[in-house]
Amino acid sequence: MNADLMIAIDGPAASGKSTVAQILAEKLDYLYFDTGVMYRAVTLAALMRNVSIDDEPSVTKLTEHIAIDVIPPTKEDGRVYTVLLDGADVTWEIRSPEVNDFVSVVSMYAGVREAMTKRQREIGLRRRVVMVGRDIGTVVLHEADLKLFLDATVEERAKRRYEECLARGESVPYEEILTSMQSRDTLDSTRKLAPLVAADDAVKIDTTFMSIDEVVKIALRLLENGRTT
Ligand code: CDP
């Protein structure tokens, strides 16, 4: 079963995709790659440099001038990787409410997507990868061997994100998280380019009432049974 596969996991925020992907990657000894990090880093760079988020040409140009690196964790503070923006550790900054509010606008821009998709595809095509995002099964690795599309009700997903924030010692009101998530869902699903949608050949899993372990078991069973695309 462990035959140099490309595994694509897509879905909306807090659908469980990152945790499931991390566990799968560890079990298979594959690379775990979270593509959302890259869109978040571009958004943070624009905010830090006072580039207006609505200024598509300037935000797009920014992608040519910044270096985004994802490396193994450099600190033991709950992170599973370290994200560097021009060499600076921005692992937690890219999760800020401000980045959440603007990332779906930045990720609509064709030039930004083109640059990010190209890098993601290069990494994915080396195989032995579990890649997570919104358009991995439909665009980035459309030829992936296994495609999962995870979903859950927005209330359940907001609750999960709220609890994650609390665990990190941040207290963002639940209602605020819910509203921000709903608007991100709408922007991500209705954009023209690479919208958040399940690939025709993806296995769809509603995780609302499921534990992470149950989802991982389903994925492993699919791999064992050769239920790859
Ligand atoms: O962790 P969470 O699910 O909240 O978000 P993320 O995976 O870090 O993605 C943040 C945002 O980046 C999404 O809301 C999308 O707007 C964008 N994104 C995208 O357009 N395509 C991807 N492959 C990954 C993320």
Side-chain angles (χ1 to χ4, degrees):
M1 122 181 164
N2 210 343
D4 295 357
L5 304 176
M6 290 185 276
I7 302 175
I9 308 187
D10 290 299
S15 51
K17 55 192 194 306
S18 304
T19 316
V20 167
Q22 276 164 49
I23 298 173
L24 272 183
E26 198 170 66
K27 281 191 191 293
L28 300 169
D29 194 23
Y30 279 17
L31 173 74
Y32 159 60
F33 196 90
D34 178 359
T35 58
V37 161
M38 298 177 72
Y39 294 97
R40 287 176 176 277
V42 177
T43 308
L44 180 68
L47 292 170
M48 282 168 53
R49 294 180 186 206
N50 290 319
V51 173
S52 164
I53 297 292
D54 296 326
D55 181 350
E56 179 170 352
S58 300
V59 174
T60 304
K61 209 158 177 42
L62 197 56
T63 62
E64 294 163 22
H65 299 289
I66 56 172
I68 304 167
D69 283 304
V70 185
I71 61 171
T74 51
K75 268 190 200 163
E76 278 189 36
D77 58 359
R79 65 182 62 192
V80 286
Y81 43 66
T82 289
V83 183
L84 300 176
L85 175 60
D86 293 328
D89 182 350
V90 295
T91 311
W92 295 119
E93 281 87 340
I94 60 166
R95 304 275 155 204
S96 71
E98 214 185 357
V99 171
N100 281 339
D101 284 345
F102 294 113
V103 65
S104 290
V105 175
V106 169
S107 66
M108 283 195 305
Y109 296 153
V112 174
R113 294 211 75 80
E114 202 181 311
M116 301 299 121
T117 303
K118 186 167 173 277
R119 287 190 57 189
Q120 292 160 10
R121 205 168 149 69
E122 277 165 14
I123 294 165
L125 287 179
R126 294 180 202 148
R127 312 191 75 92
R128 298 182 69 86
V129 68
V130 186
M131 196 169 269
V132 172
R134 301 288 187 289
D135 60 341
I136 311 306
T138 48
V139 178
V140 178
L141 295 178
H142 50 84
E143 64 275 76
D145 303 287
L146 175 67
K147 300 179 185 177
L148 300 181
F149 189 89
L150 307 189
D151 206 351
T153 62
V154 70
E155 290 79 12
E156 169 63 20
R157 292 187 287 111
K159 183 172 146 257
R160 292 176 188 170
R161 198 42 59 91
Y162 173 74
E163 281 161 5
E164 275 169 32
C165 287
L166 277 190
R168 284 209 302 266
E170 293 164 21
S171 128
V172 185
Y174 168 83
E175 285 302 329
E176 213 170 278
I177 294 178
L178 180 68
T179 314
S180 152
M181 218 173 241
Q182 280 166 327
S183 80
R184 208 140 59 84
D185 280 358
T186 307
L187 286 175
D188 289 347
S189 329
T190 56
R191 70 180 176 219
K192 275 207 203 87
L193 282 173
L196 167 65
V197 63
D200 290 341
D201 49 358
V203 177
K204 293 186 202 151
I205 305 174
D206 182 343
T207 71
T208 308
F209 303 106
M210 284 174 91
S211 68
I212 291 291
D213 272 1
E214 285 173 295
V215 183
V216 170
K217 271 198 190 121
I218 293 177
L220 288 173
R221 210 175 306 133
L222 289 166
L223 289 169
E224 270 159 20
N225 296 340
R227 167 64 172 83
T228 46
T229 51

